[in-house]
Amino acid sequence: MVEDVNVVSAQGPDLRIASAGVLGPPTIGVTVYITALVQNTGPISTGTWFFLDAYIDSATPPAPRAAGPYYAIVPALPEGASLLVTVTVPALSEGTHTFYLQAATYVPGEGNDPSFGRVAETNEENNIGGAYTFTVGLIKVYLPIVMR
């Protein structure tokens, strides 16, 4: 006997980190600005704001939905929309640093759910971007040559 099965695909927002980088070049003693292109590739708006979290010098990717030490608040993203978001990080030491980003993390008391953060998505497993690297260096000062 053959039965007809009706397959319905899940419809909802789907957040991803399309790309990321650092405004710079970053220098010692200066705030670091991490930028990320956050996309909603789903066919439905997120319907609410959500967090974009940054994790600096983590040896492994963050746990799904785990809040990071640095974050930005992202406004609701319509279906198919992208937004360039900046996360501000205090000055870092000289050297190479690694970072990860995660969209829609869970923060207790912020009107969200530990199983999906603030936005219930069709795919909760693709919200992490990274590892990305950047180098913090010395400030370079160029003085003019003065000839007599």
Side-chain angles (χ1 to χ4, degrees):
M1 172 181 199
V2 176
E3 289 186 34
D4 288 334
V5 176
N6 217 354
V7 177
V8 178
S9 63
Q11 297 292 309
D14 187 16
L15 296 170
R16 298 173 187 216
I17 310 300
S19 62
V22 176
L23 297 178
T27 53
I28 295 172
V30 178
T31 300
V32 176
Y33 298 97
I34 294 174
T35 61
L37 185 62
V38 180
Q39 294 179 324
N40 175 7
T41 60
I44 295 175
S45 170
T46 61
T48 187
W49 62 270
F50 56 92
F51 294 103
L52 173 67
D53 290 71
Y55 314 79
I56 308 296
D57 294 331
S58 176
T60 59
R65 293 165 295 287
Y70 310 104
Y71 66 92
I73 294 175
V74 183
L77 278 181
E79 61 279 0
S82 298
L83 184 66
L84 190 62
V85 180
T86 302
V87 179
T88 303
V89 177
L92 298 169
S93 61
E94 182 178 13
T96 300
H97 299 273
T98 302
F99 70 97
Y100 292 89
L101 296 167
Q102 183 168 197
T105 55
Y106 169 70
V107 178
E110 290 295 336
N112 55 129
D113 186 292
S115 63
F116 59 78
R118 284 194 57 86
V119 178
E121 302 173 62
T122 56
N123 183 354
E124 294 288 344
E125 303 306 315
N126 64 351
N127 294 3
I128 297 172
Y132 306 100
T133 60
F134 65 95
T135 301
V136 173
L138 297 172
I139 296 174
K140 295 179 182 177
V141 177
Y142 297 94
L143 300 175
I145 297 175
V146 179
M147 299 178 77
R148 286 180 107 184

